[in-house]
C-alpha cells in the first residue's frame, strides 16, 4: 500500500507511535498500521471504509456504533482499534450472506423498525448479540437487551417487533429448535 | 370503471402499507449520511468552543496550533471579519456570530476552528489555542434578562437598549376583558416549558467543496431545507446562486435541528474556498446539544374565564420566550412567537388575547425546533394543562368539560379567536374512541378504590387540533420567501418515472409515500417510480421538510403534477384510440372509450406515445412540474389518553397505558403514519419524564451530553395503542390528507403530565414543571406545593 | 471525541504488564474494560502517556467460589459474566442485584468489576456492593501480592491505593457466615444514567434469623462511596424486626452526604437512601419477598 500526504515541513511527524495490527472483519483478513489512539469505530469507518457503523454521541450512550467483537456486541467508539489485534469484528455489512439478508434485516424491513436508519445497524448488532444468546426472547428481554441503544424516530415499539419477527424466523429455520 | 382497473393496494397506491424503499440501503448499512461522504483531498475541521457563558475576548493566540503537523488553517473571528463573515444574518432577521469577535455570549459558542489532515490532529490543534477571557455577569432566564442593571448581551447591535427582542400580541383585548368581567370562575395557571433539544442521533455537519476551476461551490449538508440554505449561502458568502449546489444526503433524523444555518457550515465553506480543497465538519454530540437549535424554553401564564356550567368564555395568555443569545428561529416571519396563537383552536371560545415577549439570554440561540410545528407544542401543552386545571376548578369531569367546549362537527369552517380558520374534524367521536379504549369509567372506579388503599393512580387527557402545512403565501414566508412546495415528475417512455420534490425526508419515508401518490393518480405502480430529494441542482424549489408540512404541501404538489401528467396523457390516449377527449374515461392505470370500455390504452402506452406517436400540435414528452401554494393549513385532531401509577414514597411513576386517537385525514401509507405517531409519543414521554436542558447560576449548561440529557431507551419507553378509526378528510388537500408527523409530540406531553397531576389530585399541587422527575414529584407530594424547573437549578 | 496521543503496550503476561508499568513513566493507566477510561480520554479528562492493555493476559477472566465459599473475581471478568452467572444468582444476592444495573448491556460486555473498583468513581456501583460485603482487592506488583480491603482501597474520588507499578488482579469476597441475603437498589432515571443514589446491603443471617454480619454501602451520595458502618453495626446480632429495620434505615440515611443538584435535593436523596435500605432489609426479613434483586428505575 502507498500513502501520500502533505509535507508541511514538520519534524515532529516521526514521533507519532504507530502500531501494526491484524484482524478479521466480516470474514476478511486485514492489516492496519494505526495510532493507538484511533477509536475502533474510526478504524471501521475510515480505515476499512465500512460506513454502516455510525457515530452519534461522545459519551458512550447512544449505541449507534455497536458492532460484534469476537461475537459479543460492544460499542466500537469505546474501544481502541488496537484492541482488535487478533480478533474478529462483525459489522452490519457482515450480516447478510452472499445471497440472503439476515433475518434481523428482514425483520426490520417487515415490521417498519426503522425511519431515518441511523440507529438501525447498532440496533441490529445488539439484537444479534441477544438472539445468539437467547433464541426465544420475550418482549421484555428484547427491550432490556436494547437498553444501550437509543432511537429518536420509532418509539422502539416496531424495533421490538422486528427483533421478535427475526427470532421467530430463525427458530423456524433451525432444525429441532423450540 | 371496468374490470381492467388496477387494484390500488396491489400497485402501492393510497392506503397501501407498502414496505419502505429506503430500508433496502439502511438495513445493509449502505446509507449515505453526511459523515459517509468522502471526497479526494478532503480535510477535517474541528471547532473550539467557549467554556464561559458570557465573557469579553481579550486575546486569542493560535500560534501553537499552527505549528502542529498536519494543520492547514486556523480561523478566528478576527480573520473572518476581514471577509465580512464573522457575523451572518439569521432566519429571523437578526444576526448571529459565526466566530466570536468581541465577546462570547453563551457557553459552547464557536471561538475558533482548525482545518487539518484528520480530525484527531484538528482536535489537538484546538486544544493548543489559547484564549484569554474576561468573565461577565451571566443571564439564564428572562427575569434576569429584564432586571435593572442587567448586562446588555447584544451590545453588538446598534440601538439595543436592553435584552428584549420583541413584543407581540394577537387577539381582541377588549372582548377578552368583557368575557372576564362576566366570568363566574377564573382559572389560572403558570408554568415553564423547559428547554429541550431535538437531538437526532446524527449530529450536524457539512462537506464544503469549492472547485476553483468551475467556480462552483458544492456543499453536502445535514439540512432539512436545501433550497433555503442555497439562498442563505448566496447571501452570506456573496456567491452567485447558480454556482452553489447544496446536497442533502441521507439524514439521520432532523426534528427541526437541521433547518438553521449553523456557523460550522459557514466556516467549512470559507475554509474550502481558501484552501481549494473539500473540508468536512461533523460536530460531536456536545457541540450539537450546547450550540445548535434548541426548542421551547418559554414561560407561560394564562387565565381562563368560565361560566359556572363549564362554558369557556375567554382566554388570556402571556409568554416570555428565552431565545438565547441570537434570534435565529426558523419560523414564518409574521409570527414572532410562531404559531403559539393556535392554542385553543379545538375549542369554541369567543374571545382571547395573547401577548408575547422574547428576550436574549446567555444560552444557545433558537427556540423553534423539535417537532414543534412552530411553537404549537408549547401552545397545546399549555392549553391542555389549563383545560385540566379549569375542569378541576369547576369540579367537572375532564372528558365532559372538553366535550362541551369542542367546536361541533357542523361548525366548520370555524374562525378561532386568534384568527385561524379550522376546516374539519370530528372531535367528539375521537374522544369517544379514546375513552372507550382506555375504559374510562372503569379506570375512574379503580382510581377511587386504589386511593383508599394509598395507591395513586392517575389519568390524563390531551385533545387538540393543530395547524400543519405552512403555508399559504398570504400569511407565511421565511425571510420573505413564500412557503409553497413543489414536485417534478418525469415519465419515461417505458412508463417508469422519476419524481423529485422540494421536500427533504429525514426518516419520514418520502421515497416510499410520494411514489404512492403517483400510483394513485396515474396507476403507475409505486415500485416503478423513483423518488429523489435534496439536491438543489435537480430538485424543484421547495422550502424543505419540517413543521409537518410535507404531506400537506409537497404531497399536494405531487398529486397536482401527476394530474398535469394525466391531463396530457388523456390527449395522447385520445390520439391513440382515435376518439375525441370527451369520449375518454379514466380508471386506475388506463384510459378507455366510454362507449366501448374494452377499448383502452394503459398509462404506459400513453408514455410511449409521448415520445414516438404524438398528435399534431402537442409537445412531445411526458414531464412536468407543479408548485403548490396551499390555500390553508391542514387541521388534524388528536386525543391522547395516558394512565399512570405514582409511587408516593419515591416519586417514581410508571405508565400503565397510552392510547392515541389520531384523525389526520386520508393516510397515504398507514404503517408509516403509525410510525410517526409512535415517534412523537416517545418524544412526548421523554419530555414529560426526563429530558431537558438547564443551567446553573454560573450559566453552565447542564444537559450538553447524553449523560445529562436523558433520552429514554426501549426499557423506559412505554408501549402505545394507536387508533385510526376516525378519518375526516381535509377539504382542500387534493388527497384529503393532513399533516401528522408532529401531532403526538405536540399533544402527547400534556397527556402524561395531566395523568401524573391527576394522580396527585387533592394534594394541593397545581403544577410541576416538566420533566416530572421523581425528585420533583416527591417534593410536590411531600411539601404540598408546586415545583418549578426553571433555571438556575439549585445546587449545593 | 478524540483522545490525545499516548504510547500503548499489550503485554501477554502479568509479569510483563507489571514490568511495563514499572518502566513506563509517571502517567500510565491499565486498560481492562476501558468503559470508564476510554470515555474520559475521549473527552480529554484523562490523558495518560502510556496505556497498558491487559486484555491479552491469560487466566484473569474467572469468577469462582473456593471450597470454603470465598468468591474470587478475576480482573478480566466482565459485568455481563456476572449478570448471567448462575453462581451469583444462587449465592450472592447483593452482587446479583447490582450486576444487571451497571451501565447498559453493551458496556457490560466489556467493563470489569475489578476495573470499576480501581476507577473509584463515587457513582460507581460495585464499590458500594463490595464494601457492603467486606470484600478486598488483591494487588500484584514487583514486590509481590497484597490484599487491600475495599473500604481502604478507594482513597478518594477517582483515587485508589495501588502503587504506580501494581495491578489489581482479583476481588475477593469473604465466605458467608450463615445464609447470605441482601440486595442493591439504585435510583436511575433511565438505563445508563449515573445513580441518583444506590444502596447496597449485604447480610449474613443465622438459622435462627439473626444477623451475624451486615454491611451497607452507598453510591452517589457523597464525595466517595460511603461505608455506612454505624447502620451495619446496629443490625449485628439482631433479628430483622420492623423496629430494627427502621432504625438501621435511619442510620443509613444519616451516613449519606448527598448534595442538591439536577438529580434532586439533598433531602430527597437522603429520603431515598432510607427508603431503599428499608426495602432491602424488609425483603430479607422473614415473611419478606426474599432477596431484593429488583431495581428501581424512574420509568
Amino acid at each position: 500500500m502507498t500513502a501520500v500526504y502533505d509535507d508541511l515541513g514538520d519534524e515532529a511527524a516521526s514521533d507519532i507511535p504507530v502500531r501494526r495490527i491484524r484482524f478479521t472483519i466480516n470474514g476478511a483478513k486485514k492489516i492496519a498500521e494505526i495510532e493507538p489512539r484511533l477509536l475502533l469505530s474510526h478504524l471501521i469507518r475510515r480505515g476499512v471504509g465500512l460506513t454502516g457503523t455510525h457515530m452519534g454521541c461522545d459519551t458512550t450512550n447512544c449505541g449507534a456504533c455497536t458492532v460484534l467483537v469476537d461475537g459479543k456486541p460492544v460499542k466500537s467508539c469505546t474501544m481502541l482499534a488496537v484492541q482488535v489485534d487478533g480478533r474478529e469484528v462483525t459489522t452490519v455489512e457482515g450480516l447478510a450472506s452472499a445471497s440472503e439478508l439476515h433475518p434481523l434485516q428482514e425483520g426490520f424491513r417487515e415490521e417498519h423498525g426503522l425511519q431515518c436508519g441511523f440507529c438501525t445497524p447498532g440496533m441490529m448488532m445488539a439484537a444479534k448479540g441477544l438472539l445468539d444468546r437467547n433464541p426465544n426472547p420475550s418482549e421484555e428481554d428484547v427491550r432490556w437487551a436494547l437498553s444501550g441503544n437509543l432511537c429518536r424516530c420509532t418509539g422502539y415499539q416496531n424495533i421490538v417487533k422486528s427483533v421478535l419477527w427475526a427470532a421467530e424466523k430463525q427458530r423456524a429455520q433451525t432444525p429441532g429448535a423450540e | 370503471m371496468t374490470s381492467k382497473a388496477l387494484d390500488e393496494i396491489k400497485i402501492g397506491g393510497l392506503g397501501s402499507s407498502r414496505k419502505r424503499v429506503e430500508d433496502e440501503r439502511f438495513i445493509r448499512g449502505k446509507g449515505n449520511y453526511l459523515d459517509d461522504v468522502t471526497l479526494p483531498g478532503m480535510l477535517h475541521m474541528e471547532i473550539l468552543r467557549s467554556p464561559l457563558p458570557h465573557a469579553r475576548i481579550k486575546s486569542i493566540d493560535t500560534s501553537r496550533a499552527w505549528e502542529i503537523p498536519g494543520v492547514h488553517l486556523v480561523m478566528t473571528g478576527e480573520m473572518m471579519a476581514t471577509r465580512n463573515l464573522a457575523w451572518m444574518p439569521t432566519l429571523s432577521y437578526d444576526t448571529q456570530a459565526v466566530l466570536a469577535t468581541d465577546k462570547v455570549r453563551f457557553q459552547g459558542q464557536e471561538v475558533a476552528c482548525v482545518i487539518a489532515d484528520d480530525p484527531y490532529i484538528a482536535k489537538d490543534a484546538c486544544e493548543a489555542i489559547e484564549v484569554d477571557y474576561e468573565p461577565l455577569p451571566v443571564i439564564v432566564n428572562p427575569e434576569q434578562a429584564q432586571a435593572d442593571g442587567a448586562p446588555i448581551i447584544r451590545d453588538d447591535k446598534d440601538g439595543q437598549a436592553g435584552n428584549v427582542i420583541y413584543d407581540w400580541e394577537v387577539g381582541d383585548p377588549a372582548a377578552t376583558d368583557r368575557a372576564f368581567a362576566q366570568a363566574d370562575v377564573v382559572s389560572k395557571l403558570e408554568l415553564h416549558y423547559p428547554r429541550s433539544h431535538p437531538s437526532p442521533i446524527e449530529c450536524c455537519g457539512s462537506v464544503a467543496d469549492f472547485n476553483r476551476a468551475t467556480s462552483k461551490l458544492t456543499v453536502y449538508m445535514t439540512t432539512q431545507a436545501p433550497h433555503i440554505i442555497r439562498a442563505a449561502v448566496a447571501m452570506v458568502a456573496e456567491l452567485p446562486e447558480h454556482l452553489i449546489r447544496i446536497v442533502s444526503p441521507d439524514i439521520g433524523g432532523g426534528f427541526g435541528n437541521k433547518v438553521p444555518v449553523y456557523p460550522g457550515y459557514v466556516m467549512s465553506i470559507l475554509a474550502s474556498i481558501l484552501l481549494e480543497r473539500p473540508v468536512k465538519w461533523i460536530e460531536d454530540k456536545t457541540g450539537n446539544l450546547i450550540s445548535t437549535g434548541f426548542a421551547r424554553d418559554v414561560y407561560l401564564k394564562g387565565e381562563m374565564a368560565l361560566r359556572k356550567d363549564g362554558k369557556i368564555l375567554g382566554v388570556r395568555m402571556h409568554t416570555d420566550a428565552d431565545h438565547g443569545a441570537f434570534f435565529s428561529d426558523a419560523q414564518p416571519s409574521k409570527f414572532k412567537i410562531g404559531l403559539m396563537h393556535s392554542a385553543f383552536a379545538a375549542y369554541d371560545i369567543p374571545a382571547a388575547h395573547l401577548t408575547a415577549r422574547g428576550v436574549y439570554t446567555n444560552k444557545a440561540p433558537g427556540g423553534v425546533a423539535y417537532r414543534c410545528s412552530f411553537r404549537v407544542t408549547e401552545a397545546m401543552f399549555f392549553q391542555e394543562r389549563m383545560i385540566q386545571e379549569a375542569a378541576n376548578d369547576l369540579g367537572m369531569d375532564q372528558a365532559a368539560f372538553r366535550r362541551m367546549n369542542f367546536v361541533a362537527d357542523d361548525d366548520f369552517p370555524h374562525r378561532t379567536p386568534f384568527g385561524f380558520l379550522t376546516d374539519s374534524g370530528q372531535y367528539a367521536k375521537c374522544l369517544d374512541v379514546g375513552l372507550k379504549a382506555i375504559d374510562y369509567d372503569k379506570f375512574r372506579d379503580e382510581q377511587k378504590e386504589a386511593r383508599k388503599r394509598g395507591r395513586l393512580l392517575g389519568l390524563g387527557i390531551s385533545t387538540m387540533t393543530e395547524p400543519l402545512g405552512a403555508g399559504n403565501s398570504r400569511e407565511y414566508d421565511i425571510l420573505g420567501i413564500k412557503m409553497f412546495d413543489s414536485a417534478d415528475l418525469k415519465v419515461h417512455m417505458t412508463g417508469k418515472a422519476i419524481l423529485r420534490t422540494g421536500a427533504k425526508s429525514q426518516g419520514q419515508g418520502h421515497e416510499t409515500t410520494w411514489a404512492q401518490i403517483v400510483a394513485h393518480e396515474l396507476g403507475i405502480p409505486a415500485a416503478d417510480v423513483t423518488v429523489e430529494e435534496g439536491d438543489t441542482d435537480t430538485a424543484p424549489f421547495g422550502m424543505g421538510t419540517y413543521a409537518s408540512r410535507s404531506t400537506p404541501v409537497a404531497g399536494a404538489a405531487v398529486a397536482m403534477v401527476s394530474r398535469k401528467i394525466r391531463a396530457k396523457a388523456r390527449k395522447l390516449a385520445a390520439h391513440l384510440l382515435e376518439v375525441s377527449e370527451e369520449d375518454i374515461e379514466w380508471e386506475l392505470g388506463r384510459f378507455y372509450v366510454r362507449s366501448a370500455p374494452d377499448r383502452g390504452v394503459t398509462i404506459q402506452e400513453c408514455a410511449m406515445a409521448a415520445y414516438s406517436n404524438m398528435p399534431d400540435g402537442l409537445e412531445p414528452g411526458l414531464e412536468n412540474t407543479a408548485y403548490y401554494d396551499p390555500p390553508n393549513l391542514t387541521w388534524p385532531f388528536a386525543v391522547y389518553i395516558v394512565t399512570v401509577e405514582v409511587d408516593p414514597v419515591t416519586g417514581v411513576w410508571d405508565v400503565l397505558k397510552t392510547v392515541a386517537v389520531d384523525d389526520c385525514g386520508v393516510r397515504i401509507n398507514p404503517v408509516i403514519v403509525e410510525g410517526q405517531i409512535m415517534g412523537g409519543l416517545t418524544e412526548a414521554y421523554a419530555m414529560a419524564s426526563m429530558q431537558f436542558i438547564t443551567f446553573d447560576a454560573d450559566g453552565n449548561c447542564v444537559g450538553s451530553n447524553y449523560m445529562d440529557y436523558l433520552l429514554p431507551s426501549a426499557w423506559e419507553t412505554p408501549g402505545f395503542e394507536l387508533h385510526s378509526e376516525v378519518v375526516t378528510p381535509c377539504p382542500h388537500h387534493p388527497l384529503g390528507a393532513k399533516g401528522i408527523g408532529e401531532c403526538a409530540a405536540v399533544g402527547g406531553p400534556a397527556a402524561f403530565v395531566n395523568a401524573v397531576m391527576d394522580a396527585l389530585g387533592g394534594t394541593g399541587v397545581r403544577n410541576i414543571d416538566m420533566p416530572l422527575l421523581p425528585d420533583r414529584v416527591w417534593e410536590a407530594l411531600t411539601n404540598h406545593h408546586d415545583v418549578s424547573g426553571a433555571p438556575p437549578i439549585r445546587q449545593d | 471525541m478524540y483522545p490525545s496521543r499516548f504510547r500503548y503496550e499489550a503485554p501477554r503476561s502479568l509479569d510483563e504488564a507489571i514490568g511495563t508499568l514499572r518502566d513506563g513513566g509517571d502517567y500510565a493507566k491499565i486498560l481492562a474494560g476501558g468503559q470508564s477510561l476510554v470515555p474520559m480520554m475521549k473527552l480529554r479528562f484523562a490523558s495518560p502517556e502510556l496505556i497498558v492493555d491487559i486484555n491479552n493476559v491469560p487466566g484473569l477472566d474467572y469468577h469462582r467460589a473456593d471450597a470454603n465459599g470465598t468468591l474470587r473475581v478475576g480482573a478480566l471478568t466482565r459485568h455481563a459474566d456476572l449478570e448471567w452467572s448462575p453462581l451469583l444468582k444462587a449465592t450472592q444476592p447483593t452482587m446479583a442485584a447490582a450486576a444487571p444495573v451497571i451501565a447498559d448491556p453493551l458496556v457490560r460486555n466489556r467493563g470489569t468489576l475489578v476495573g470499576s473498583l480501581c476507577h473509584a468513581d463515587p457513582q460507581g456501583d460495585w464499590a458500594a456492593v463490595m464494601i457492603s460485603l467486606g470484600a478486598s482487592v488483591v494487588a500484584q506488583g514487583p514486590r509481590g501480592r497484597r490484599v487491600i480491603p475495599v473500604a481502604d482501597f478507594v482513597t478518594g474520588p477517582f483515587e485508589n491505593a495501588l502503587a504506580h507499578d501494581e495491578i489489581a488482579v482479583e476481588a475477593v469476597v469473604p465466605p458467608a457466615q450463615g445464609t447470605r441475603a441482601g440486595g442493591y437498589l439504585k435510583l436511575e432515571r433511565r438505563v445508563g444514567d449515573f445513580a441518583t443514589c444506590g444502596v447496597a446491603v449485604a447480610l449474613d443471617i443465622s438459622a435462627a434469623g439473626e444477623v451475624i454480619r451486615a454491611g451497607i454501602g452507598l453510591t452517589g451520595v457523597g464525595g466517595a462511596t460511603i461505608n455506612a458502618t454505624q447502620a451495619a453495626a446496629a443490625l449485628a446480632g439482631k433479628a430483622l424486626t420492623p423496629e430494627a429495620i427502621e432504625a438501621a434505615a435511619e442510620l443509613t440515611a444519616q451516613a449519606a452526604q448527598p448534595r442538591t443538584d439536577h438529580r434532586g435535593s439533598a433531602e430527597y436523596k437522603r429520603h431515598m437512601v432510607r427508603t431503599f435500605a428499608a426495602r432491602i432489609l424488609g425483603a430479607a426479613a422473614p415473611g419478606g419477598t426474599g432477596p431484593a434483586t429488583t431495581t428501581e428505575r424512574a420509568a
Side-chain angles (χ1 to χ4, degrees), chain B residues 39-42 206-212 214-220 243 245 268-269 271-273 276-280:
Chain B
L39 298 178
M42 190 172 76
S206 54
V207 180
D209 182 17
F210 179 70
N211 184 330
R212 171 65 65 196
T214 60
S215 298
K216 186 146 183 184
L217 172 69
T218 302
V219 189
Y220 297 84
L243 291 176
R245 175 182 176 218
S268 69
I269 289 169
S272 181
I273 291 173
E276 294 181 13
R277 287 172 72 162
V279 173
K280 172 185 275 188

Side-chain angles (χ1 to χ4, degrees), chain A residues 5-6 8 10-13 16 35 37-43 45-46 49-59 61-62 64 92-96 101 104-106 108-121 123-124 139-161, chain B residues 19-20 22-24 26-31 33 35-36 43-44 67-72 117-121 124 197-203 251-253 255 277 280 282 284-287 370-371 506-509 671-672 674-676 678-680 682-683 686 691 704-707 709 711-715 717-722:
Chain A
Y5 39 90
D6 294 314
L8 297 171
D10 317 304
E11 307 303 327
I16 298 169
E35 277 196 66
R37 65 171 170 164
L38 186 73
L39 301 176
L40 175 59
S41 45
H42 291 139
L43 173 69
R45 290 180 53 77
R46 299 188 189 139
L50 295 174
T51 57
T53 302
H54 301 138
M55 300 186 75
C57 79
D58 48 8
T59 49
N61 290 108
C62 79
V92 59
E93 291 91 341
L95 275 181
L101 289 176
L104 277 167
Q105 292 170 301
E106 285 187 283
F108 272 78
R109 187 187 57 203
E110 291 302 307
E111 296 287 0
H112 189 37
L114 62 145
Q115 292 181 22
C116 81
F118 200 73
C119 77
T120 308
M123 287 285 177
M124 291 194 294
E139 176 179 337
E140 206 177 83
D141 292 332
V142 174
R143 286 180 178 269
W144 183 252
L146 297 182
S147 58
N149 294 76
L150 298 176
C151 171
R152 291 298 263 167
C153 294
T154 68
Y156 303 107
Q157 191 155 302
N158 283 351
I159 291 178
V160 173
K161 284 164 82 172
Chain B
K19 301 288 177 260
R20 292 194 346 154
E22 296 86 334
D23 290 358
E24 292 306 316
F26 294 146
I27 58 179
R28 290 172 170 80
K30 295 289 182 204
Y33 301 93
D35 197 25
D36 303 341
L43 299 170
H44 296 261
E67 286 161 16
I68 291 179
V71 170
H72 290 254
D117 286 338
D118 84 50
Y120 287 73
I121 295 173
D124 292 341
H197 194 285
S199 193
I201 305 293
E202 181 204 30
C203 302
I251 302 187
F255 313 116
R277 287 172 72 162
K280 172 185 275 188
I282 181 91
D284 55 26
K285 188 61 67 185
T286 300
Y370 195 20
R371 256 175 145 144
Q506 319 111 41
Q508 294 91 332
V671 166
I672 287 183
E674 287 179 351
Q676 292 297 301
M678 288 192 283
T682 307
E683 316 270 31
Q691 186 184 279
S704 62
N705 58 60
Y706 275 174
M707 289 191 300
Y709 189 64
L711 312 185
S713 74
W715 184 249
T717 305
F720 312 117
E721 181 183 303
L722 307 184

Side-chain angles (χ1 to χ4, degrees), chain A:
Chain A
M1 194 199 73
T2 308
V4 179
Y5 39 90
D6 294 314
D7 178 1
L8 297 171
D10 317 304
E11 307 303 327
S14 52
D15 281 348
I16 298 169
V18 171
R19 198 167 173 96
R20 191 170 218 250
I21 62 168
R22 301 181 113 94
F23 62 104
T24 308
I25 183 158
N26 300 330
K29 292 186 175 173
K30 300 281 183 189
I31 301 173
E33 291 170 359
I34 52 178
E35 277 196 66
R37 65 171 170 164
L38 186 73
L39 301 176
L40 175 59
S41 45
H42 291 139
L43 173 69
I44 293 168
R45 290 180 53 77
R46 299 188 189 139
V48 184
L50 295 174
T51 57
T53 302
H54 301 138
M55 300 186 75
C57 79
D58 48 8
T59 49
T60 311
N61 290 108
C62 79
C65 65
T66 306
V67 300
L68 305 183
V69 173
D70 286 347
K72 291 263 165 64
V74 299
K75 294 183 171 180
S76 64
C77 71
T78 310
M79 274 185 83
L80 305 174
V82 287
Q83 290 185 276
V84 300
D85 190 16
R87 301 193 186 276
E88 285 185 24
V89 179
T90 312
T91 70
V92 59
E93 291 91 341
L95 275 181
S97 72
S99 51
E100 270 184 352
L101 289 176
H102 189 279
L104 277 167
Q105 292 170 301
E106 285 187 283
F108 272 78
R109 187 187 57 203
E110 291 302 307
E111 296 287 0
H112 189 37
L114 62 145
Q115 292 181 22
C116 81
F118 200 73
C119 77
T120 308
M123 287 285 177
M124 291 194 294
M125 302 317 285
K128 181 164 197 308
L130 167 70
L131 296 183
D132 288 347
R133 181 170 47 79
N134 177 359
N136 194 5
S138 65
E139 176 179 337
E140 206 177 83
D141 292 332
V142 174
R143 286 180 178 269
W144 183 252
L146 297 182
S147 58
N149 294 76
L150 298 176
C151 171
R152 291 298 263 167
C153 294
T154 68
Y156 303 107
Q157 191 155 302
N158 283 351
I159 291 178
V160 173
K161 284 164 82 172
S162 303
V163 177
L164 292 174
W165 187 101
E168 195 183 320
K169 175 154 189 196
Q170 281 195 305
R171 287 197 305 274
Q173 284 174 337
T174 311
E178 322 166 71

Side-chain angles (χ1 to χ4, degrees), chain B residues 224 255-256 296 369-377 464 466-469 508 545-549 636 640 662 676-677 679-681 683-684 739-749:
Chain B
Q224 300 171 229
F255 313 116
R296 325 278 192 270
Y370 195 20
R371 256 175 145 144
C372 75
S373 315
F374 303 128
R375 296 273 192 203
V376 179
T377 34
M464 61 103 202
E466 63 152 335
L468 297 180
Q508 294 91 332
T545 294
Y546 43 84
S548 305
R549 64 186 297 272
Y640 302 112
D662 284 274
Q676 292 297 301
I677 295 167
L681 286 171
E683 316 270 31
I740 185 60
E742 291 165 319
C743 288
V746 168

